[in-house]
Amino acid sequence: MKHYLKKVMDQQDLTFEEMNEASRLMFEPETSPVQVAGFLSALKTKGESVGEIAGLVEVIRDKAIQLPIDFPGAMDNCGTGGDGSQSFNISTTSAFVMAGAGMTVAKHGNRSISSKTGSADVLEALGVKLTATKDEMAHLLSTHGIAFLFAQHVHPAMKQVMGIRKSLGVPTIFNLIGPLTNPVKLTTQMVGIYRRDLLEQMANTLHQLGRKRALVINGADYMDEASLAGENFCVLLDRGELMQFTIKPEEVGLMSASNDTIKGGDAEENARILRDVIEGKEGPHRDVVLLNAGLGLFANGKAQTVQEGVQLAKESIDSKKALAKLDGLVDFKYDQDVKGR
């Protein structure tokens, strides 16, 4: 670890292979916590490269709970958090809408870190089991088209560095990689990021991690979601090629609205908002979900345009298919249903 620490302190980027080895050392109990803290701080000061981010992600995914089968075409729409917007759980709500539109959604998420309510908190309030086994998660993805992969549950190795991260008290590379560490082998993905300067870097990282198609977005007012408040900045990855574009809600038939109109609250309040949207209640909450789900369907390739994606999202809600995905996840009996296969 000393070798890699010195190289980073000298402002040199590590190769993918070097970061892979350094990351494995980070998770070894014999490695000094002081060295790990110094390494993370030096990376932050230097600025993390694509190879460094991808190298760490691969190690975390290798150490994660592995599902017994692959799911070709499965997608995730997790964001990095950290935007300070205090919005309700937009990406979690959008996941049910996308699943209702026919996509297989492996929704990866965690409890609240930078917001009032994380995806795990709101789903728990809705009655979703957070600690499904790998067989249960696989069964849900295969039969129901959506499953929740609780980050704390599927990444047990992260406990090794949690204390160090808390002691540092500042953002590190770990604050960038949450959406990238889904243990399901994804070919498509939508990632929201609060740092507009990292859009292309995140897209290139997704390419290095094997995504065929992906969308990275930074919303108006630097949200890690698409926003109704103005111009949203996007980078589309399509088979190795990057394309930048911006999009406003009016361009896809939605009303603009300030970010104050989509603020959430505690887990119970956000669970109510989520269910209201899925049940068809009109307003900014629905519109911002339509925009994000539409972008997700476009990122996946199920929709050829964002406008078509928004239309598919509307049909998913209005047909009650999105609601069926939510209720099916809540009502699933887990071990009983899996044993009954």
Side-chain angles (χ1 to χ4, degrees), residues 184-222:
V184 173
K185 188 176 182 180
L186 305 172
T187 54
T188 63
Q189 189 166 1
M190 176 174 163
V191 177
I193 186 167
Y194 71 98
R195 287 183 56 182
R196 196 166 294 169
D197 60 313
L198 295 182
L199 282 168
E200 283 198 21
Q201 183 183 44
M202 184 63 75
N204 281 316
T205 303
L206 287 163
H207 175 55
Q208 183 158 352
L209 291 169
R211 308 297 191 268
K212 302 302 181 186
R213 186 175 166 94
L215 186 69
V216 187
I217 184 162
N218 175 261
D221 296 336
Y222 295 90

PDB file of all heavy atoms in Angstrom, residues 184-222:
ATOM      1  N   VAL A 184     -25.372  -7.068  -9.928  1.00  0.00           N
ATOM      2  CA  VAL A 184     -25.920  -7.621 -11.166  1.00  0.00           C
ATOM      3  C   VAL A 184     -25.096  -7.088 -12.337  1.00  0.00           C
ATOM      4  O   VAL A 184     -24.728  -5.915 -12.386  1.00  0.00           O
ATOM      5  CB  VAL A 184     -27.400  -7.229 -11.339  1.00  0.00           C
ATOM      6  CG1 VAL A 184     -27.925  -7.664 -12.700  1.00  0.00           C
ATOM      7  CG2 VAL A 184     -28.238  -7.844 -10.233  1.00  0.00           C
ATOM      8  N   LYS A 185     -24.800  -7.964 -13.282  1.00  0.00           N
ATOM      9  CA  LYS A 185     -24.018  -7.572 -14.456  1.00  0.00           C
ATOM     10  C   LYS A 185     -24.927  -6.782 -15.400  1.00  0.00           C
ATOM     11  O   LYS A 185     -25.683  -7.343 -16.183  1.00  0.00           O
ATOM     12  CB  LYS A 185     -23.454  -8.813 -15.151  1.00  0.00           C
ATOM     13  CG  LYS A 185     -22.476  -8.494 -16.267  1.00  0.00           C
ATOM     14  CD  LYS A 185     -21.874  -9.761 -16.851  1.00  0.00           C
ATOM     15  CE  LYS A 185     -20.864  -9.441 -17.944  1.00  0.00           C
ATOM     16  NZ  LYS A 185     -20.271 -10.682 -18.518  1.00  0.00           N
ATOM     17  N   LEU A 186     -24.841  -5.470 -15.324  1.00  0.00           N
ATOM     18  CA  LEU A 186     -25.702  -4.593 -16.109  1.00  0.00           C
ATOM     19  C   LEU A 186     -25.091  -4.305 -17.473  1.00  0.00           C
ATOM     20  O   LEU A 186     -23.885  -4.134 -17.600  1.00  0.00           O
ATOM     21  CB  LEU A 186     -25.910  -3.269 -15.376  1.00  0.00           C
ATOM     22  CG  LEU A 186     -26.441  -3.337 -13.937  1.00  0.00           C
ATOM     23  CD1 LEU A 186     -26.397  -1.948 -13.308  1.00  0.00           C
ATOM     24  CD2 LEU A 186     -27.849  -3.906 -13.902  1.00  0.00           C
ATOM     25  N   THR A 187     -25.942  -4.225 -18.485  1.00  0.00           N
ATOM     26  CA  THR A 187     -25.484  -3.780 -19.805  1.00  0.00           C
ATOM     27  C   THR A 187     -25.929  -2.348 -20.073  1.00  0.00           C
ATOM     28  O   THR A 187     -25.332  -1.658 -20.901  1.00  0.00           O
ATOM     29  CB  THR A 187     -26.016  -4.693 -20.921  1.00  0.00           C
ATOM     30  OG1 THR A 187     -27.443  -4.791 -20.811  1.00  0.00           O
ATOM     31  CG2 THR A 187     -25.420  -6.083 -20.800  1.00  0.00           C
ATOM     32  N   THR A 188     -26.986  -1.897 -19.377  1.00  0.00           N
ATOM     33  CA  THR A 188     -27.453  -0.518 -19.526  1.00  0.00           C
ATOM     34  C   THR A 188     -27.671   0.084 -18.141  1.00  0.00           C
ATOM     35  O   THR A 188     -27.942  -0.627 -17.174  1.00  0.00           O
ATOM     36  CB  THR A 188     -28.765  -0.436 -20.329  1.00  0.00           C
ATOM     37  OG1 THR A 188     -29.801  -1.125 -19.617  1.00  0.00           O
ATOM     38  CG2 THR A 188     -28.599  -1.037 -21.709  1.00  0.00           C
ATOM     39  N   GLN A 189     -27.576   1.399 -18.064  1.00  0.00           N
ATOM     40  CA  GLN A 189     -27.713   2.052 -16.761  1.00  0.00           C
ATOM     41  C   GLN A 189     -27.982   3.534 -16.940  1.00  0.00           C
ATOM     42  O   GLN A 189     -27.586   4.149 -17.936  1.00  0.00           O
ATOM     43  CB  GLN A 189     -26.418   1.864 -15.945  1.00  0.00           C
ATOM     44  CG  GLN A 189     -26.530   2.307 -14.496  1.00  0.00           C
ATOM     45  CD  GLN A 189     -25.383   1.802 -13.636  1.00  0.00           C
ATOM     46  OE1 GLN A 189     -24.473   1.121 -14.118  1.00  0.00           O
ATOM     47  NE2 GLN A 189     -25.423   2.114 -12.358  1.00  0.00           N
ATOM     48  N   MET A 190     -28.668   4.117 -15.948  1.00  0.00           N
ATOM     49  CA  MET A 190     -28.808   5.566 -15.854  1.00  0.00           C
ATOM     50  C   MET A 190     -28.238   5.991 -14.509  1.00  0.00           C
ATOM     51  O   MET A 190     -28.613   5.438 -13.468  1.00  0.00           O
ATOM     52  CB  MET A 190     -30.283   5.984 -15.969  1.00  0.00           C
ATOM     53  CG  MET A 190     -30.508   7.477 -15.776  1.00  0.00           C
ATOM     54  SD  MET A 190     -32.235   7.909 -16.108  1.00  0.00           S
ATOM     55  CE  MET A 190     -32.355   9.519 -15.328  1.00  0.00           C
ATOM     56  N   VAL A 191     -27.318   6.939 -14.525  1.00  0.00           N
ATOM     57  CA  VAL A 191     -26.649   7.406 -13.314  1.00  0.00           C
ATOM     58  C   VAL A 191     -26.853   8.903 -13.171  1.00  0.00           C
ATOM     59  O   VAL A 191     -26.539   9.668 -14.090  1.00  0.00           O
ATOM     60  CB  VAL A 191     -25.141   7.094 -13.347  1.00  0.00           C
ATOM     61  CG1 VAL A 191     -24.455   7.652 -12.102  1.00  0.00           C
ATOM     62  CG2 VAL A 191     -24.896   5.591 -13.447  1.00  0.00           C
ATOM     63  N   GLY A 192     -27.380   9.312 -12.033  1.00  0.00           N
ATOM     64  CA  GLY A 192     -27.474  10.730 -11.717  1.00  0.00           C
ATOM     65  C   GLY A 192     -26.283  11.134 -10.870  1.00  0.00           C
ATOM     66  O   GLY A 192     -25.874  10.402  -9.968  1.00  0.00           O
ATOM     67  N   ILE A 193     -25.700  12.283 -11.168  1.00  0.00           N
ATOM     68  CA  ILE A 193     -24.514  12.737 -10.439  1.00  0.00           C
ATOM     69  C   ILE A 193     -24.638  14.224 -10.159  1.00  0.00           C
ATOM     70  O   ILE A 193     -25.100  14.991 -11.003  1.00  0.00           O
ATOM     71  CB  ILE A 193     -23.235  12.399 -11.239  1.00  0.00           C
ATOM     72  CG1 ILE A 193     -21.984  12.723 -10.431  1.00  0.00           C
ATOM     73  CG2 ILE A 193     -23.225  13.077 -12.599  1.00  0.00           C
ATOM     74  CD1 ILE A 193     -20.713  12.120 -11.021  1.00  0.00           C
ATOM     75  N   TYR A 194     -24.253  14.635  -8.945  1.00  0.00           N
ATOM     76  CA  TYR A 194     -24.440  16.037  -8.560  1.00  0.00           C
ATOM     77  C   TYR A 194     -23.316  16.936  -9.063  1.00  0.00           C
ATOM     78  O   TYR A 194     -23.431  18.157  -9.022  1.00  0.00           O
ATOM     79  CB  TYR A 194     -24.563  16.161  -7.037  1.00  0.00           C
ATOM     80  CG  TYR A 194     -23.282  15.912  -6.274  1.00  0.00           C
ATOM     81  CD1 TYR A 194     -22.479  16.966  -5.845  1.00  0.00           C
ATOM     82  CD2 TYR A 194     -22.868  14.626  -5.967  1.00  0.00           C
ATOM     83  CE1 TYR A 194     -21.303  16.749  -5.154  1.00  0.00           C
ATOM     84  CE2 TYR A 194     -21.706  14.387  -5.271  1.00  0.00           C
ATOM     85  CZ  TYR A 194     -20.926  15.453  -4.864  1.00  0.00           C
ATOM     86  OH  TYR A 194     -19.749  15.214  -4.177  1.00  0.00           O
ATOM     87  N   ARG A 195     -22.233  16.336  -9.593  1.00  0.00           N
ATOM     88  CA  ARG A 195     -21.110  17.116 -10.104  1.00  0.00           C
ATOM     89  C   ARG A 195     -21.131  17.126 -11.636  1.00  0.00           C
ATOM     90  O   ARG A 195     -20.862  16.117 -12.275  1.00  0.00           O
ATOM     91  CB  ARG A 195     -19.783  16.553  -9.588  1.00  0.00           C
ATOM     92  CG  ARG A 195     -19.543  16.844  -8.126  1.00  0.00           C
ATOM     93  CD  ARG A 195     -18.187  16.322  -7.681  1.00  0.00           C
ATOM     94  NE  ARG A 195     -17.095  16.868  -8.491  1.00  0.00           N
ATOM     95  CZ  ARG A 195     -15.813  16.522  -8.318  1.00  0.00           C
ATOM     96  NH1 ARG A 195     -15.495  15.629  -7.387  1.00  0.00           N
ATOM     97  NH2 ARG A 195     -14.870  17.042  -9.085  1.00  0.00           N
ATOM     98  N   ARG A 196     -21.432  18.274 -12.197  1.00  0.00           N
ATOM     99  CA  ARG A 196     -21.547  18.394 -13.645  1.00  0.00           C
ATOM    100  C   ARG A 196     -20.195  18.200 -14.338  1.00  0.00           C
ATOM    101  O   ARG A 196     -20.134  17.747 -15.478  1.00  0.00           O
ATOM    102  CB  ARG A 196     -22.132  19.765 -13.993  1.00  0.00           C
ATOM    103  CG  ARG A 196     -22.656  19.898 -15.403  1.00  0.00           C
ATOM    104  CD  ARG A 196     -23.520  21.149 -15.529  1.00  0.00           C
ATOM    105  NE  ARG A 196     -24.737  21.030 -14.740  1.00  0.00           N
ATOM    106  CZ  ARG A 196     -25.566  22.038 -14.485  1.00  0.00           C
ATOM    107  NH1 ARG A 196     -25.310  23.245 -14.958  1.00  0.00           N
ATOM    108  NH2 ARG A 196     -26.646  21.846 -13.748  1.00  0.00           N
ATOM    109  N   ASP A 197     -19.119  18.509 -13.636  1.00  0.00           N
ATOM    110  CA  ASP A 197     -17.792  18.385 -14.232  1.00  0.00           C
ATOM    111  C   ASP A 197     -17.361  16.932 -14.412  1.00  0.00           C
ATOM    112  O   ASP A 197     -16.363  16.660 -15.089  1.00  0.00           O
ATOM    113  CB  ASP A 197     -16.752  19.115 -13.374  1.00  0.00           C
ATOM    114  CG  ASP A 197     -16.663  18.574 -11.955  1.00  0.00           C
ATOM    115  OD1 ASP A 197     -17.723  18.391 -11.322  1.00  0.00           O
ATOM    116  OD2 ASP A 197     -15.541  18.321 -11.472  1.00  0.00           O
ATOM    117  N   LEU A 198     -18.107  15.987 -13.822  1.00  0.00           N
ATOM    118  CA  LEU A 198     -17.725  14.576 -13.911  1.00  0.00           C
ATOM    119  C   LEU A 198     -18.619  13.764 -14.851  1.00  0.00           C
ATOM    120  O   LEU A 198     -18.535  12.541 -14.872  1.00  0.00           O
ATOM    121  CB  LEU A 198     -17.753  13.936 -12.519  1.00  0.00           C
ATOM    122  CG  LEU A 198     -16.736  14.473 -11.500  1.00  0.00           C
ATOM    123  CD1 LEU A 198     -16.859  13.705 -10.189  1.00  0.00           C
ATOM    124  CD2 LEU A 198     -15.318  14.381 -12.037  1.00  0.00           C
ATOM    125  N   LEU A 199     -19.453  14.429 -15.626  1.00  0.00           N
ATOM    126  CA  LEU A 199     -20.378  13.710 -16.503  1.00  0.00           C
ATOM    127  C   LEU A 199     -19.638  12.789 -17.473  1.00  0.00           C
ATOM    128  O   LEU A 199     -19.937  11.590 -17.564  1.00  0.00           O
ATOM    129  CB  LEU A 199     -21.247  14.696 -17.284  1.00  0.00           C
ATOM    130  CG  LEU A 199     -22.423  15.331 -16.535  1.00  0.00           C
ATOM    131  CD1 LEU A 199     -22.996  16.492 -17.331  1.00  0.00           C
ATOM    132  CD2 LEU A 199     -23.505  14.302 -16.253  1.00  0.00           C
ATOM    133  N   GLU A 200     -18.692  13.326 -18.195  1.00  0.00           N
ATOM    134  CA  GLU A 200     -17.972  12.511 -19.174  1.00  0.00           C
ATOM    135  C   GLU A 200     -17.121  11.446 -18.488  1.00  0.00           C
ATOM    136  O   GLU A 200     -17.010  10.319 -18.978  1.00  0.00           O
ATOM    137  CB  GLU A 200     -17.104  13.398 -20.071  1.00  0.00           C
ATOM    138  CG  GLU A 200     -17.885  14.141 -21.135  1.00  0.00           C
ATOM    139  CD  GLU A 200     -16.989  14.657 -22.257  1.00  0.00           C
ATOM    140  OE1 GLU A 200     -15.873  14.130 -22.425  1.00  0.00           O
ATOM    141  OE2 GLU A 200     -17.417  15.590 -22.955  1.00  0.00           O
ATOM    142  N   GLN A 201     -16.513  11.806 -17.374  1.00  0.00           N
ATOM    143  CA  GLN A 201     -15.681  10.835 -16.659  1.00  0.00           C
ATOM    144  C   GLN A 201     -16.521   9.647 -16.201  1.00  0.00           C
ATOM    145  O   GLN A 201     -16.103   8.481 -16.318  1.00  0.00           O
ATOM    146  CB  GLN A 201     -15.009  11.491 -15.454  1.00  0.00           C
ATOM    147  CG  GLN A 201     -14.059  10.543 -14.717  1.00  0.00           C
ATOM    148  CD  GLN A 201     -13.458  11.170 -13.484  1.00  0.00           C
ATOM    149  OE1 GLN A 201     -14.161  11.817 -12.716  1.00  0.00           O
ATOM    150  NE2 GLN A 201     -12.166  10.991 -13.291  1.00  0.00           N
ATOM    151  N   MET A 202     -17.715   9.922 -15.694  1.00  0.00           N
ATOM    152  CA  MET A 202     -18.582   8.832 -15.258  1.00  0.00           C
ATOM    153  C   MET A 202     -19.019   7.985 -16.443  1.00  0.00           C
ATOM    154  O   MET A 202     -19.071   6.745 -16.351  1.00  0.00           O
ATOM    155  CB  MET A 202     -19.809   9.398 -14.537  1.00  0.00           C
ATOM    156  CG  MET A 202     -20.741   8.338 -13.949  1.00  0.00           C
ATOM    157  SD  MET A 202     -19.984   7.324 -12.663  1.00  0.00           S
ATOM    158  CE  MET A 202     -19.977   8.488 -11.276  1.00  0.00           C
ATOM    159  N   ALA A 203     -19.317   8.608 -17.566  1.00  0.00           N
ATOM    160  CA  ALA A 203     -19.707   7.857 -18.757  1.00  0.00           C
ATOM    161  C   ALA A 203     -18.558   6.963 -19.238  1.00  0.00           C
ATOM    162  O   ALA A 203     -18.769   5.806 -19.624  1.00  0.00           O
ATOM    163  CB  ALA A 203     -20.139   8.816 -19.864  1.00  0.00           C
ATOM    164  N   ASN A 204     -17.342   7.486 -19.220  1.00  0.00           N
ATOM    165  CA  ASN A 204     -16.185   6.686 -19.620  1.00  0.00           C
ATOM    166  C   ASN A 204     -15.933   5.539 -18.655  1.00  0.00           C
ATOM    167  O   ASN A 204     -15.517   4.451 -19.056  1.00  0.00           O
ATOM    168  CB  ASN A 204     -14.943   7.576 -19.727  1.00  0.00           C
ATOM    169  CG  ASN A 204     -14.893   8.367 -21.018  1.00  0.00           C
ATOM    170  OD1 ASN A 204     -15.171   7.837 -22.090  1.00  0.00           O
ATOM    171  ND2 ASN A 204     -14.557   9.645 -20.940  1.00  0.00           N
ATOM    172  N   THR A 205     -16.201   5.774 -17.379  1.00  0.00           N
ATOM    173  CA  THR A 205     -16.060   4.709 -16.393  1.00  0.00           C
ATOM    174  C   THR A 205     -17.073   3.603 -16.645  1.00  0.00           C
ATOM    175  O   THR A 205     -16.752   2.409 -16.576  1.00  0.00           O
ATOM    176  CB  THR A 205     -16.236   5.266 -14.965  1.00  0.00           C
ATOM    177  OG1 THR A 205     -15.297   6.317 -14.736  1.00  0.00           O
ATOM    178  CG2 THR A 205     -16.016   4.175 -13.928  1.00  0.00           C
ATOM    179  N   LEU A 206     -18.304   3.982 -16.960  1.00  0.00           N
ATOM    180  CA  LEU A 206     -19.332   2.994 -17.286  1.00  0.00           C
ATOM    181  C   LEU A 206     -18.931   2.167 -18.498  1.00  0.00           C
ATOM    182  O   LEU A 206     -19.162   0.961 -18.548  1.00  0.00           O
ATOM    183  CB  LEU A 206     -20.672   3.696 -17.528  1.00  0.00           C
ATOM    184  CG  LEU A 206     -21.366   4.247 -16.276  1.00  0.00           C
ATOM    185  CD1 LEU A 206     -22.436   5.264 -16.662  1.00  0.00           C
ATOM    186  CD2 LEU A 206     -21.970   3.125 -15.450  1.00  0.00           C
ATOM    187  N   HIS A 207     -18.318   2.820 -19.474  1.00  0.00           N
ATOM    188  CA  HIS A 207     -17.822   2.106 -20.653  1.00  0.00           C
ATOM    189  C   HIS A 207     -16.755   1.094 -20.261  1.00  0.00           C
ATOM    190  O   HIS A 207     -16.776  -0.068 -20.692  1.00  0.00           O
ATOM    191  CB  HIS A 207     -17.274   3.104 -21.668  1.00  0.00           C
ATOM    192  CG  HIS A 207     -16.630   2.468 -22.857  1.00  0.00           C
ATOM    193  ND1 HIS A 207     -17.285   1.546 -23.664  1.00  0.00           N
ATOM    194  CD2 HIS A 207     -15.376   2.599 -23.381  1.00  0.00           C
ATOM    195  CE1 HIS A 207     -16.470   1.153 -24.632  1.00  0.00           C
ATOM    196  NE2 HIS A 207     -15.309   1.764 -24.470  1.00  0.00           N
ATOM    197  N   GLN A 208     -15.818   1.517 -19.409  1.00  0.00           N
ATOM    198  CA  GLN A 208     -14.752   0.608 -18.978  1.00  0.00           C
ATOM    199  C   GLN A 208     -15.311  -0.568 -18.182  1.00  0.00           C
ATOM    200  O   GLN A 208     -14.758  -1.671 -18.216  1.00  0.00           O
ATOM    201  CB  GLN A 208     -13.703   1.356 -18.156  1.00  0.00           C
ATOM    202  CG  GLN A 208     -12.521   0.468 -17.752  1.00  0.00           C
ATOM    203  CD  GLN A 208     -11.271   1.251 -17.431  1.00  0.00           C
ATOM    204  OE1 GLN A 208     -11.197   2.461 -17.638  1.00  0.00           O
ATOM    205  NE2 GLN A 208     -10.254   0.571 -16.922  1.00  0.00           N
ATOM    206  N   LEU A 209     -16.425  -0.338 -17.500  1.00  0.00           N
ATOM    207  CA  LEU A 209     -17.048  -1.404 -16.701  1.00  0.00           C
ATOM    208  C   LEU A 209     -17.944  -2.313 -17.545  1.00  0.00           C
ATOM    209  O   LEU A 209     -18.567  -3.218 -17.007  1.00  0.00           O
ATOM    210  CB  LEU A 209     -17.849  -0.789 -15.554  1.00  0.00           C
ATOM    211  CG  LEU A 209     -17.015  -0.122 -14.455  1.00  0.00           C
ATOM    212  CD1 LEU A 209     -17.915   0.674 -13.513  1.00  0.00           C
ATOM    213  CD2 LEU A 209     -16.204  -1.155 -13.677  1.00  0.00           C
ATOM    214  N   GLY A 210     -18.040  -2.051 -18.843  1.00  0.00           N
ATOM    215  CA  GLY A 210     -18.744  -2.966 -19.723  1.00  0.00           C
ATOM    216  C   GLY A 210     -20.156  -2.587 -20.097  1.00  0.00           C
ATOM    217  O   GLY A 210     -20.857  -3.366 -20.761  1.00  0.00           O
ATOM    218  N   ARG A 211     -20.600  -1.368 -19.733  1.00  0.00           N
ATOM    219  CA  ARG A 211     -21.941  -0.964 -20.137  1.00  0.00           C
ATOM    220  C   ARG A 211     -21.957  -0.695 -21.636  1.00  0.00           C
ATOM    221  O   ARG A 211     -21.093  -0.001 -22.160  1.00  0.00           O
ATOM    222  CB  ARG A 211     -22.397   0.296 -19.396  1.00  0.00           C
ATOM    223  CG  ARG A 211     -22.284   0.247 -17.890  1.00  0.00           C
ATOM    224  CD  ARG A 211     -23.159  -0.802 -17.251  1.00  0.00           C
ATOM    225  NE  ARG A 211     -23.187  -0.608 -15.810  1.00  0.00           N
ATOM    226  CZ  ARG A 211     -22.361  -1.203 -14.951  1.00  0.00           C
ATOM    227  NH1 ARG A 211     -21.446  -2.058 -15.398  1.00  0.00           N
ATOM    228  NH2 ARG A 211     -22.449  -0.971 -13.649  1.00  0.00           N
ATOM    229  N   LYS A 212     -22.953  -1.235 -22.323  1.00  0.00           N
ATOM    230  CA  LYS A 212     -23.100  -0.999 -23.755  1.00  0.00           C
ATOM    231  C   LYS A 212     -23.778   0.338 -24.025  1.00  0.00           C
ATOM    232  O   LYS A 212     -23.484   1.026 -24.994  1.00  0.00           O
ATOM    233  CB  LYS A 212     -23.897  -2.136 -24.397  1.00  0.00           C
ATOM    234  CG  LYS A 212     -23.282  -3.509 -24.210  1.00  0.00           C
ATOM    235  CD  LYS A 212     -21.866  -3.589 -24.766  1.00  0.00           C
ATOM    236  CE  LYS A 212     -21.281  -4.981 -24.590  1.00  0.00           C
ATOM    237  NZ  LYS A 212     -19.852  -5.025 -24.988  1.00  0.00           N
ATOM    238  N   ARG A 213     -24.713   0.671 -23.158  1.00  0.00           N
ATOM    239  CA  ARG A 213     -25.459   1.922 -23.319  1.00  0.00           C
ATOM    240  C   ARG A 213     -25.764   2.454 -21.924  1.00  0.00           C
ATOM    241  O   ARG A 213     -26.163   1.698 -21.031  1.00  0.00           O
ATOM    242  CB  ARG A 213     -26.733   1.686 -24.120  1.00  0.00           C
ATOM    243  CG  ARG A 213     -27.517   2.944 -24.481  1.00  0.00           C
ATOM    244  CD  ARG A 213     -28.695   2.593 -25.381  1.00  0.00           C
ATOM    245  NE  ARG A 213     -29.638   3.699 -25.487  1.00  0.00           N
ATOM    246  CZ  ARG A 213     -29.629   4.614 -26.458  1.00  0.00           C
ATOM    247  NH1 ARG A 213     -28.728   4.559 -27.417  1.00  0.00           N
ATOM    248  NH2 ARG A 213     -30.535   5.583 -26.490  1.00  0.00           N
ATOM    249  N   ALA A 214     -25.592   3.744 -21.729  1.00  0.00           N
ATOM    250  CA  ALA A 214     -25.840   4.336 -20.412  1.00  0.00           C
ATOM    251  C   ALA A 214     -26.055   5.835 -20.572  1.00  0.00           C
ATOM    252  O   ALA A 214     -25.623   6.442 -21.562  1.00  0.00           O
ATOM    253  CB  ALA A 214     -24.674   4.063 -19.468  1.00  0.00           C
ATOM    254  N   LEU A 215     -26.714   6.402 -19.585  1.00  0.00           N
ATOM    255  CA  LEU A 215     -26.966   7.841 -19.567  1.00  0.00           C
ATOM    256  C   LEU A 215     -26.521   8.384 -18.220  1.00  0.00           C
ATOM    257  O   LEU A 215     -26.901   7.858 -17.174  1.00  0.00           O
ATOM    258  CB  LEU A 215     -28.458   8.126 -19.780  1.00  0.00           C
ATOM    259  CG  LEU A 215     -28.849   9.599 -19.926  1.00  0.00           C
ATOM    260  CD1 LEU A 215     -28.316  10.170 -21.236  1.00  0.00           C
ATOM    261  CD2 LEU A 215     -30.369   9.756 -19.879  1.00  0.00           C
ATOM    262  N   VAL A 216     -25.700   9.414 -18.257  1.00  0.00           N
ATOM    263  CA  VAL A 216     -25.269  10.101 -17.038  1.00  0.00           C
ATOM    264  C   VAL A 216     -25.886  11.490 -17.071  1.00  0.00           C
ATOM    265  O   VAL A 216     -25.818  12.190 -18.089  1.00  0.00           O
ATOM    266  CB  VAL A 216     -23.733  10.198 -16.944  1.00  0.00           C
ATOM    267  CG1 VAL A 216     -23.325  10.755 -15.585  1.00  0.00           C
ATOM    268  CG2 VAL A 216     -23.099   8.833 -17.168  1.00  0.00           C
ATOM    269  N   ILE A 217     -26.493  11.886 -15.964  1.00  0.00           N
ATOM    270  CA  ILE A 217     -27.256  13.133 -15.960  1.00  0.00           C
ATOM    271  C   ILE A 217     -26.955  13.975 -14.737  1.00  0.00           C
ATOM    272  O   ILE A 217     -26.749  13.468 -13.633  1.00  0.00           O
ATOM    273  CB  ILE A 217     -28.780  12.834 -16.040  1.00  0.00           C
ATOM    274  CG1 ILE A 217     -29.572  14.130 -16.146  1.00  0.00           C
ATOM    275  CG2 ILE A 217     -29.255  11.999 -14.861  1.00  0.00           C
ATOM    276  CD1 ILE A 217     -30.983  13.936 -16.648  1.00  0.00           C
ATOM    277  N   ASN A 218     -26.906  15.274 -14.967  1.00  0.00           N
ATOM    278  CA  ASN A 218     -26.840  16.260 -13.891  1.00  0.00           C
ATOM    279  C   ASN A 218     -27.959  17.255 -14.127  1.00  0.00           C
ATOM    280  O   ASN A 218     -28.026  17.904 -15.168  1.00  0.00           O
ATOM    281  CB  ASN A 218     -25.485  16.968 -13.868  1.00  0.00           C
ATOM    282  CG  ASN A 218     -25.438  18.090 -12.844  1.00  0.00           C
ATOM    283  OD1 ASN A 218     -25.598  19.257 -13.187  1.00  0.00           O
ATOM    284  ND2 ASN A 218     -25.224  17.739 -11.596  1.00  0.00           N
ATOM    285  N   GLY A 219     -28.866  17.337 -13.177  1.00  0.00           N
ATOM    286  CA  GLY A 219     -30.064  18.136 -13.370  1.00  0.00           C
ATOM    287  C   GLY A 219     -29.885  19.614 -13.105  1.00  0.00           C
ATOM    288  O   GLY A 219     -28.836  20.074 -12.633  1.00  0.00           O
ATOM    289  N   ALA A 220     -30.926  20.378 -13.417  1.00  0.00           N
ATOM    290  CA  ALA A 220     -30.938  21.806 -13.107  1.00  0.00           C
ATOM    291  C   ALA A 220     -30.694  21.996 -11.611  1.00  0.00           C
ATOM    292  O   ALA A 220     -31.168  21.219 -10.787  1.00  0.00           O
ATOM    293  CB  ALA A 220     -32.281  22.418 -13.514  1.00  0.00           C
ATOM    294  N   ASP A 221     -29.947  23.028 -11.266  1.00  0.00           N
ATOM    295  CA  ASP A 221     -29.534  23.287  -9.881  1.00  0.00           C
ATOM    296  C   ASP A 221     -28.658  22.171  -9.331  1.00  0.00           C
ATOM    297  O   ASP A 221     -28.610  21.937  -8.123  1.00  0.00           O
ATOM    298  CB  ASP A 221     -30.747  23.502  -8.968  1.00  0.00           C
ATOM    299  CG  ASP A 221     -31.547  24.747  -9.338  1.00  0.00           C
ATOM    300  OD1 ASP A 221     -30.962  25.666  -9.951  1.00  0.00           O
ATOM    301  OD2 ASP A 221     -32.751  24.790  -9.027  1.00  0.00           O
ATOM    302  N   TYR A 222     -27.995  21.448 -10.233  1.00  0.00           N
ATOM    303  CA  TYR A 222     -27.007  20.423  -9.871  1.00  0.00           C
ATOM    304  C   TYR A 222     -27.610  19.256  -9.083  1.00  0.00           C
ATOM    305  O   TYR A 222     -26.964  18.671  -8.227  1.00  0.00           O
ATOM    306  CB  TYR A 222     -25.833  21.052  -9.108  1.00  0.00           C
ATOM    307  CG  TYR A 222     -25.045  22.009  -9.973  1.00  0.00           C
ATOM    308  CD1 TYR A 222     -25.389  23.357 -10.036  1.00  0.00           C
ATOM    309  CD2 TYR A 222     -23.996  21.553 -10.764  1.00  0.00           C
ATOM    310  CE1 TYR A 222     -24.691  24.244 -10.857  1.00  0.00           C
ATOM    311  CE2 TYR A 222     -23.287  22.419 -11.585  1.00  0.00           C
ATOM    312  CZ  TYR A 222     -23.646  23.767 -11.625  1.00  0.00           C
ATOM    313  OH  TYR A 222     -22.955  24.635 -12.455  1.00  0.00           O
TER     314      TYR A 222
END
